[in-house]
Amino acid sequence: MSLLRMVGRPMLASMFVAGGIHSMRRPADVAPAAEPIVRPVADRVAALPDDTEQLVRLNGAVHVVGGVLLGLGRCPRLAALALAAALVPTTLAAHRYWEAEDPSDRAQQRIHFLKNLSMMGGLLIAADDTGSAPSLLWRGRHTARGLRHDAHLVHRSVRATARPAATAGGIRAKLGN
């Protein structure tokens, strides 16, 4: 692992771990801001709990687990994708700057909104980072290409040896052996 990955991933993950722990410990602090986003989503997705505080805790748990995995470099691509997905409702619930009345509050919320947007960009880059190893898609294509090449060689080999064998078998049959 490169030094940049070793240092950068925990730095990116730290905000999610800290925020996730806060959301899990004190969901009542976040629930009122999350209500406008939680209610429409919970009504459409039956698998989600109806209680806003439970959904805040669940989102916090995703942030903590994803942040720890990303920070430790364990399943970093999957962790980054999970964090990016969980960051969408967090940003839309907590930083609705377009609804703020006070100009200074609006400016502050816009800054936080853009900060979260920047973090999402970093997470998407991390989700695409293969760590200098080929991606699974490339490995699959490379393996398939190799298998096709091997099958072609076997086919050519069988054809090359089948004709002389058939000829020898025909001669042997004519001779009566």
Side-chain angles (χ1 to χ4, degrees):
M1 177 186 293
S2 77
L3 181 62
L4 290 178
R5 284 185 191 91
M6 194 168 30
V7 173
R9 285 180 181 159
M11 290 171 69
L12 181 59
S14 65
M15 183 70 174
F16 294 99
V17 174
I21 289 172
H22 177 75
S23 293
M24 289 173 57
R25 283 186 179 165
R26 300 179 63 173
D29 294 351
V30 181
E35 187 69 31
I37 299 298
V38 167
R39 195 54 34 224
V41 173
D43 290 344
R44 288 189 181 111
V45 181
L48 294 176
D50 289 334
D51 185 31
T52 302
E53 288 190 13
Q54 286 180 339
L55 283 171
V56 167
R57 278 193 179 107
L58 178 63
N59 192 40
V62 170
H63 281 197
V64 170
V65 171
V68 168
L69 288 174
L70 181 64
L72 293 176
R74 303 286 183 223
C75 304
R77 297 177 76 192
L78 181 62
L81 277 177
L83 288 171
L87 189 58
V88 172
T90 301
T91 303
L92 291 176
H95 306 300
R96 302 169 67 88
Y97 70 90
W98 52 91
E99 293 179 353
E101 299 290 329
D102 181 38
S104 65
D105 186 38
R106 179 185 298 249
Q108 192 67 25
Q109 289 302 323
R110 187 181 304 119
I111 288 169
H112 287 295
F113 182 87
L114 293 173
K115 173 204 45 124
N116 281 13
L117 198 62
S118 299
M119 288 173 44
M120 187 175 300
L123 289 169
L124 293 176
I125 290 170
D128 189 47
D129 179 26
T130 61
S132 300
S135 68
L136 291 177
L137 180 63
W138 182 89
R139 286 186 234 173
R141 286 179 181 163
H142 185 70
T143 301
R145 190 177 306 123
L147 289 173
R148 281 194 303 270
H149 178 72
D150 291 348
H152 179 70
L153 289 178
V154 167
H155 181 259
R156 284 181 50 192
S157 173
V158 166
R159 286 187 61 165
T161 57
R163 281 192 190 124
T167 304
I171 293 172
R172 190 181 285 164
K174 286 181 183 177
L175 294 175
N177 275 341

